[in-house]
Amino acid sequence: MKQFSVAIDGPAGAGKSTVARKVADFFGFTYVDTGAMYRAIAWKALQDGVDINNEQAITALAESLHFELDPKGIRVNNLQLTDEIRTPQVSTLASTVATMVGVRQVLVKKQQEIAQIQSVVMDGRDIGTHVLPQANLKIFLTASIEERAMRRYKELLHKGLTADLKTLQEEIRHRDENDQNRVHAPLRQAEDAVLVDTTNRSLEQVVESIIQLCRHQMGVME
Ligand code: CDP
Ligand code: CDP
């Protein structure tokens, strides 16, 4: 079979990364977490004291970073990044750097290069619309805002951290609005994407239905 690509987009907490990772593992494809790249830039800017609103400086920072895919998270300039890029502060700042056209150009190029040489399941906000417009399968994953906030809440509890559900919901709502209303590559369902609402569905059910959709598309390719 030729290389196969699956694009998974959707709002925060819809289950994109969890589902994408499982589908990639099932088929032996590479999972590409594009959100981690935007998060890593925001985190590095914080570390180095770069002004997050200075588009030129943030774009130069994005150009200077070397990203490597890693099963545990992402490696940036040889540094493994995991929980430090998942804080609410980094989430919000990632959404700010993601509005910058220069940053998007740098990352989209890197993401397209990865998909040229291997089969991928790639998740993000603009994968079906901009990064992989020719993807073999496009999924738009969503769930109600209450459900998405509750999932994040449970994740934090699981890590032994406390959180306020209302604050989490507000953070997600604000980030979704930012992502949907920005000028460059806003979060949109691609016309040819399959809408999957995960609100009342288990992770296993969602993964199974996407595996079936992949199999169907693979059959079409043969
Ligand atoms: O990547 P995204 O922000 O879209 O979501 P995630 O980081 O994968 O988080 C989703 C959380 O909801 C994880 O803890 C999943 O186990 C859980 N979950 C899910 O992804 N899908 C369901 N149908 C039910 C729960
Ligand atoms: O896991 P979660 O859905 O909360 O966020 P993420 O996928 O890690 O993405 C963090 C932020 O990066 C998003 O809120 C977007 O602003 C931005 N992003 C983007 O603009 N385009 C992508 N392809 C991926 C993420």
Side-chain angles (χ1 to χ4, degrees):
M1 189 182 73
K2 282 194 308 183
Q3 274 154 27
F4 195 83
S5 54
V6 184
I8 304 188
D9 292 300
K16 300 180 299 298
S17 29
T18 315
V19 168
R21 199 183 289 277
K22 284 184 181 292
V23 173
D25 283 352
F26 182 87
F27 288 107
F29 295 170
T30 301
Y31 165 54
V32 187
D33 178 356
T34 64
M37 294 171 140
Y38 290 90
R39 287 173 180 275
I41 295 168
W43 177 83
K44 189 78 169 99
L46 267 181
Q47 289 287 305
D48 295 357
V50 180
D51 177 1
I52 207 79
N53 296 306
N54 182 337
E55 188 159 348
Q56 218 180 335
I58 297 290
T59 304
L61 175 66
E63 273 164 355
S64 75
L65 296 179
H66 177 67
F67 297 91
E68 277 170 279
L69 301 172
D70 186 291
K72 288 198 208 113
I74 189 168
R75 290 182 77 81
V76 177
N77 292 359
N78 254 333
L79 196 67
Q80 167 105 59
L81 298 178
T82 51
D83 284 351
E84 57 273 67
I85 59 167
R86 306 278 156 202
T87 65
Q89 185 190 22
V90 172
S91 300
T92 304
L93 295 180
S95 185
T96 302
V97 308
T99 61
M100 300 173 177
V101 65
V103 171
R104 301 204 73 86
Q105 280 167 352
V106 171
L107 292 191
V108 168
K109 186 163 173 278
K110 290 182 197 286
Q111 293 153 9
Q112 289 174 335
E113 283 167 2
I114 295 170
Q116 258 163 25
I117 54 169
Q118 60 212 305
S119 292
V120 294
V121 182
M122 193 178 281
D123 85 307
R125 301 292 187 289
D126 60 338
I127 311 305
T129 50
H130 286 87
V131 182
L132 303 177
Q134 310 296 334
N136 299 96
L137 176 66
K138 298 181 187 178
I139 304 287
F140 194 84
L141 211 60
T142 187
S144 71
I145 177 108
E146 292 80 11
E147 171 74 17
R148 293 187 283 121
M150 182 54 85
R151 289 177 186 172
R152 283 277 184 268
Y153 180 76
K154 286 184 185 161
E155 276 178 353
L156 290 170
L157 286 192
H158 192 69
K159 288 182 186 165
L161 302 167
T162 48
D164 176 59
L165 188 57
K166 273 266 159 286
T167 310
L168 276 179
Q169 200 168 309
E170 257 329 289
E171 187 264 316
I172 288 179
R173 190 188 302 282
H174 177 70
R175 197 146 57 90
D176 285 351
E177 267 173 24
N178 250 358
D179 291 344
Q180 283 158 356
N181 296 320
R182 68 181 176 220
V183 177
H184 308 291
L187 170 65
R188 292 273 152 76
Q189 179 180 344
E191 272 180 23
D192 49 352
V194 180
L195 176 67
V196 178
D197 187 337
T198 72
T199 307
N200 294 311
R201 297 178 70 197
S202 73
L203 190 54
E204 291 69 27
Q205 285 173 326
V206 174
V207 170
E208 186 51 36
S209 59
I210 295 177
I211 287 174
Q212 291 309 333
L213 289 168
C214 286
R215 284 204 170 114
H216 180 261
Q217 286 307 109
M218 286 168 187
V220 170
M221 274 171 80
E222 274 169 8

